Amino acid sequence: KGFKTFVVPENVGGRYSVFTPVGLLPLAVAGIDIRKLLFGASQALEFCKKANGTDNPALLYAAIRNGLYRDGKKIEIFADFDPALRYTGEWWKQLFGESEGKDGKGLFPAAVDYSADLHSMGQYIQSGERSIFETFINVEKSYTSVSVPGDPDSGDGLEYLSGRELSWANSMALEAAKSAHTAGGVPTFKITIPDKSAGSFGTLAGFFMFACGVSGYMLGVNPFNQPGVEAYKENMFRLLGKPGYGAEISAHK
């Protein structure tokens, strides 16, 4: 029908496809500057390919999370304090869950949105089974400037926050949660990005992709296939009556 089409690369799994037309087209349509996004990603990937040892944040992250896994920490929690990062957490869960969860191995990836989940999940994280660690995502600069208004006669007990930025209060909530969870026996990372720009997201996504590949190889699995996902697809196609799929139930490991 004359529509412009783009190639969906067959050898790139969905979780790694952010920087292909699969991710770039909808991002561009949504008004995101994909050139800046790709520039941020390329900077992260180039740095992670060249830096050595503890100077390489991706290698350090991969090594520490594998060390924690061997020490009995089986769950990693992606913790954000900004609603804009909620679906970055969803993508992160797929990236690590689908890449490492195979051959009876792998950390279980979970994501929480603080400060709302500091109540719904915070009690367990603070005092539950010590099988978890957290990766906090910190955004250094807020795009908005909203200050708490002052009213000495309101009696609401919030006058000590008068004139303070809400973004500052949010950052204090992050530090408070991180300190409390660390004191409660939960190992924590803090990954800081300068802002919520396309370039910063590209850098963050590139970092996680590189680290995920390294981490998978450290774990002894192929981080680029997904045989378990194929199992449910085969069963679904069989139940739907798709030609070529027999009656046998598939259960890839």
Side-chain angles (χ1 to χ4, degrees):
K1 296 184 179 292
F3 294 125
K4 175 69 176 176
T5 61
F6 299 89
V7 175
V8 175
E10 294 184 2
N11 62 340
V12 179
R15 60 197 182 278
Y16 292 103
S17 66
V18 176
F19 305 132
T20 75
V22 176
L24 295 177
L25 177 60
L27 284 165
V29 171
I32 305 299
D33 189 332
I34 59 174
R35 290 180 178 84
K36 290 182 179 178
L37 184 145
L38 289 172
F39 180 72
S42 66
Q43 282 190 311
L45 293 170
E46 284 302 312
F47 181 80
C48 289
K49 283 191 287 186
K50 294 177 181 178
N52 295 316
T54 55
D55 292 330
N56 189 320
L59 295 183
L60 194 61
Y61 175 60
I64 294 174
R65 66 194 304 276
N66 271 272
L68 289 169
Y69 175 71
R70 293 185 179 95
D71 196 40
K73 305 300 183 184
K74 304 298 185 182
I75 301 168
E76 180 177 7
I77 297 176
F78 177 102
D80 70 79
F81 274 78
D82 192 308
L85 289 171
R86 178 175 185 180
Y87 288 100
T88 302
E90 294 299 304
W91 166 76
W92 176 89
K93 286 194 300 185
Q94 182 185 0
L95 177 67
F96 281 93
E98 201 170 348
S99 297
E100 294 187 324
K102 56 198 70 165
D103 300 336
K105 302 175 183 178
L107 283 154
F108 183 86
V112 291
D113 299 315
Y114 291 153
S115 57
D117 285 338
L118 280 174
H119 284 254
S120 61
M121 295 294 291
Q123 175 62 44
Y124 184 91
I125 294 168
Q126 183 71 41
S127 305
E129 185 177 353
R130 300 297 77 181
S131 58
I132 60 179
F133 65 94
E134 277 182 293
T135 298
F136 285 86
I137 308 299
N138 177 47
V139 181
E140 208 164 36
K141 181 182 177 183
S142 175
Y143 285 147
T144 58
S145 177
V146 179
S147 299
V148 178
D151 184 359
D153 300 323
S154 67
D156 60 10
L158 296 175
E159 195 59 28
Y160 70 99
L161 290 174
S162 176
R164 291 286 196 177
E165 294 276 335
L166 284 178
S167 59
W168 174 83
N170 199 40
S171 67
M172 294 302 100
L174 186 155
E175 294 301 330
K178 184 175 181 298
S179 297
H181 294 173
T182 301
V186 179
T188 60
F189 292 100
K190 184 170 77 168
I191 297 173
T192 298
I193 56 176
D195 49 38
K196 293 182 287 185
S197 66
S200 292
F201 172 77
T203 299
L204 183 66
F207 159 79
F208 275 132
M209 284 187 193
F210 192 96
C212 184
V214 173
S215 184
Y217 286 132
M218 285 182 174
L219 188 63
V221 301
N222 180 352
F224 303 109
N225 67 359
Q226 51 279 337
V229 173
E230 299 307 318
Y232 100 82
K233 291 181 182 177
E234 291 177 13
N235 290 340
M236 180 179 67
F237 290 146
R238 179 187 61 80
L239 293 169
L240 291 171
K242 185 175 181 178
Y245 289 83
E248 184 178 347
I249 296 291
S250 177
H252 296 298
K253 291 184 180 178

